[in-house]
Amino acid sequence: MQTTPPDPKESADSSFSPIASPILSMKSKVVLCLTTLLLFGCASEPITADWVSNQTQTTYDQFQKLSWATGPYIPYNDSQGYTGNLYLCIAKNASGGSEFLLGVENNSRTPVLFTSAASMTGEALSSQQTGEALSSQQTGEALSSQQMESHNDGVLFREKVRVILSKDLLIRSESSGLTVRLYGQQRNLDVTIPAVYIQGFLRKTKT
């Protein structure tokens, strides 16, 4: 009498003990978790207006006699080799004057020197470093960028830049966000401040 040979897969499945099943289940969960992290990155605090407001820190520089409010750093990756963090900050002096700034801390494998900046909303920007006035695609208010630091750590070129923004520009960008282009000697970098970030920062600074 002929019998059908047992399916090796079925035999293997039937040989698993009740103890082995939870282990396999745990392994599946680990694999799923690692896959999720690879696809979406590590879990982090969602960017909301409340989060930005709560994370904004205030300090006082006794040498410059300036009060600073600095928002949280958020990462960017332009998918072309530039990565880093951006943030908003504001400096206030004793007489009530204030200045908003967009901070960009960029990392790259090639030397970069950002010489000027422009807003995608059409604002004209100028560079404090060169004093050269620049215009964007449309007409708008004048802003300026400031080169803070540029160095190589042996692996990456790290550059810190601050772009001066007006309060009016930030208010107009509360619902849409704000994209700024930094013009470099090698190539340009576009960074975007999310709308909720601007909302939370303005709420905290209340200027």
Side-chain angles (χ1 to χ4, degrees):
M1 178 179 175
Q2 266 189 332
T3 59
T4 304
D7 188 339
K9 184 177 179 182
E10 291 180 0
S11 300
D13 291 342
S14 63
S15 66
F16 290 142
S17 67
I19 297 176
S21 296
I23 295 176
L24 287 177
S25 178
M26 186 180 297
K27 286 182 178 179
S28 299
K29 290 178 180 178
V30 170
V31 171
L32 180 60
C33 181
L34 290 175
T35 303
T36 303
L37 288 175
L38 287 173
L39 290 175
F40 301 104
C42 298
S44 60
E45 192 79 21
I47 298 177
T48 64
D50 287 339
W51 179 79
V52 172
S53 180
N54 292 334
Q55 293 296 317
T56 298
Q57 304 294 319
T58 57
T59 56
Y60 181 73
D61 187 331
Q62 61 180 348
F63 293 97
Q64 293 182 312
K65 307 302 182 186
L66 292 174
S67 296
W68 287 90
T70 305
Y73 283 41
I74 58 173
Y76 66 81
N77 185 335
D78 77 341
S79 73
Q80 297 182 39
Y82 286 2
T83 61
N85 294 291
L86 62 86
Y87 61 94
L88 286 178
C89 61
I90 181 174
K92 301 179 184 178
N93 59 26
S95 61
S98 63
E99 188 171 65
F100 286 93
L101 302 128
L102 162 65
V104 177
E105 299 190 357
N106 188 68
N107 303 317
S108 65
R109 293 190 176 278
T110 56
V112 182
L113 181 61
F114 295 117
T115 56
S116 58
S119 164
M120 290 300 190
T121 58
E123 314 306 321
L125 302 151
S126 62
S127 170
Q128 287 183 337
Q129 187 178 20
T130 62
E132 178 186 1
L134 300 169
S135 61
S136 55
Q137 294 178 351
Q138 303 173 24
T139 59
E141 64 194 74
L143 304 176
S144 62
S145 63
Q146 180 181 22
Q147 185 75 34
M148 293 180 60
E149 179 183 337
S150 182
H151 72 278
N152 177 261
D153 63 5
V155 179
L156 294 173
F157 290 88
R158 304 183 185 276
E159 185 165 14
K160 296 181 180 181
V161 179
R162 280 182 180 163
V163 178
I164 299 175
L165 307 172
S166 69
K167 181 181 177 181
D168 289 341
L169 175 59
L170 288 175
I171 291 174
R172 294 200 306 271
S173 305
E174 278 190 276
S175 59
S176 61
L178 176 64
T179 298
V180 172
R181 171 165 292 177
L182 298 174
Y183 293 94
Q185 290 182 335
Q186 300 297 324
R187 66 178 183 80
N188 305 329
L189 169 67
D190 294 344
V191 294
T192 299
I193 315 166
V196 291
Y197 190 110
I198 298 173
Q199 294 165 15
F201 187 78
L202 291 178
R203 180 192 305 171
K204 178 72 173 187
T205 54
K206 294 178 181 178
T207 56

